[in-house]
Amino acid sequence: MTSDVLVSGLRSAGAQALAAYLQAEIRSGNIPVGVKLPAERELSQRFNTSRGSVRRVLSALRDRGWITQTVGSGTFAARPALEESIGAGGDDLVLDQTSPAELMEARLLIEPLMPTLIVRHASRSDFSRMHECLINGERAQTVEEFERWDGELHQAFALATHNRFFLQVLALSNRVRQQDDWGRLKRNSLTPERRAEYERQHRAIVAALEDRDAETAREALVAHLVQIQKNLFDPPVAE
């Protein structure tokens, strides 16, 4: 059963976003199999939907094999047998062959489309999630941790569009970012000065979105992505 069928059977936008998010994150590996999911209350607040809707989403995902639930222990990510067989096919091969340069070209075309929808649809909880990502990214002690929260922030942008297409696109993007080539380029290019610039850019994007200023947010996001693209392929010169 596809994610579209599951999502279309849910009434509220928050429940639909939650279902699409969990499937995309588990499929991409951002939520690894066996990892415990947040509590129902946290998911309810984050996706601005009722506890009952959260339970219905989790029940549907459990029935389809995306999660397991154990009384007294919690809810854990899983992966349906059919999805495992699909994942071993051509889609993963295409993603494995997607280069960081191709990823950045695609991101520059697609991500600047998001601010218009974000300023129209984003909720208070969406902005709270963005700030959570900002804070954790700035506190990160390693490149890997910073990269994780950078990805989470851009995922938060996709969630705030309340549009399933962007969730799927960002999930694919994150799968490419998990490749060794991307990690090597990021480690080699991320100086303290560049990281500080990324953090300033992140805050400028979020501030413009909170002001419901789509054009300023779009310009800030494009500038951020262009800077990442330049830095990835123009590593700093060793002194």
Side-chain angles (χ1 to χ4, degrees):
M1 179 106 28
T2 65
S3 60
D4 285 342
V5 174
L6 169 59
V7 171
S8 65
L10 301 169
R11 292 182 179 180
S12 75
Q16 291 177 355
L18 172 59
Y21 170 77
L22 289 176
Q23 285 182 287
E25 290 295 278
I26 294 170
R27 180 183 286 118
S28 70
N30 284 336
I31 301 179
V33 172
V35 166
K36 186 174 182 179
L37 301 186
E40 288 181 3
R41 180 178 179 181
E42 180 179 341
L43 293 173
S44 173
Q45 293 174 343
R46 180 171 169 184
F47 289 88
N48 194 29
T49 192
S50 68
R51 294 278 292 275
S53 292
V54 171
R55 283 191 287 272
R56 284 191 289 274
V57 169
L58 295 179
S59 177
L61 291 173
R62 183 190 64 228
D63 291 344
R64 288 160 173 80
W66 287 101
I67 62 171
T68 60
Q69 292 180 308
T70 305
V71 176
S73 297
T75 302
F76 301 85
R79 194 172 175 90
L82 177 60
E83 183 70 18
E84 289 281 11
S85 64
I86 293 172
D91 287 347
D92 276 357
L93 180 61
V94 171
L95 288 171
D96 289 343
Q97 294 177 345
T98 300
S99 70
E102 290 171 327
L103 173 62
M104 288 309 306
E105 288 177 348
R107 290 182 68 185
L108 274 162
L109 288 171
I110 295 171
E111 290 190 42
L113 299 174
M114 293 194 295
T116 298
L117 291 177
I118 295 173
V119 301
R120 186 182 304 164
H121 299 302
S123 65
R124 182 178 300 176
S125 62
D126 290 324
F127 290 120
S128 294
R129 175 59 177 170
M130 292 179 201
H131 281 284
E132 178 185 358
C133 295
L134 290 175
I135 291 170
N136 283 304
E138 291 168 2
R139 290 175 176 172
Q141 298 297 308
T142 65
V143 171
E144 291 75 17
E145 189 179 0
F146 176 77
E147 174 69 2
R148 175 202 164 195
W149 285 108
D150 182 291
E152 289 282 340
L153 177 62
H154 286 267
Q155 188 76 38
F157 293 156
L159 278 168
T161 67
H162 293 269
N163 182 296
R164 295 193 301 273
F165 171 79
F166 286 108
L167 280 172
Q168 296 295 331
V169 168
L170 265 293
L172 292 174
S173 172
N174 285 337
R175 288 175 70 179
V176 177
R177 288 170 63 150
Q178 292 167 9
Q179 296 178 13
D180 291 341
D181 285 348
W182 177 274
R184 175 178 51 78
L185 285 171
K186 202 64 179 285
R187 285 190 297 273
N188 291 342
S189 69
L190 191 64
T191 65
E193 294 76 19
R194 288 176 173 179
R195 173 174 166 173
E197 180 62 22
Y198 291 161
E199 291 171 356
R200 287 192 292 270
Q201 291 171 340
H202 286 160
R203 288 202 168 269
I205 295 166
V206 173
L209 292 172
E210 286 188 300
D211 288 341
R212 307 288 175 172
D213 185 344
E215 184 58 27
T216 298
R218 187 193 68 80
E219 291 174 355
L221 182 56
V222 169
H224 174 57
L225 293 173
V226 168
Q227 189 68 48
I228 293 173
Q229 185 181 50
K230 179 178 182 296
N231 288 346
L232 282 176
F233 306 109
D234 183 21
V237 178
E239 296 182 358

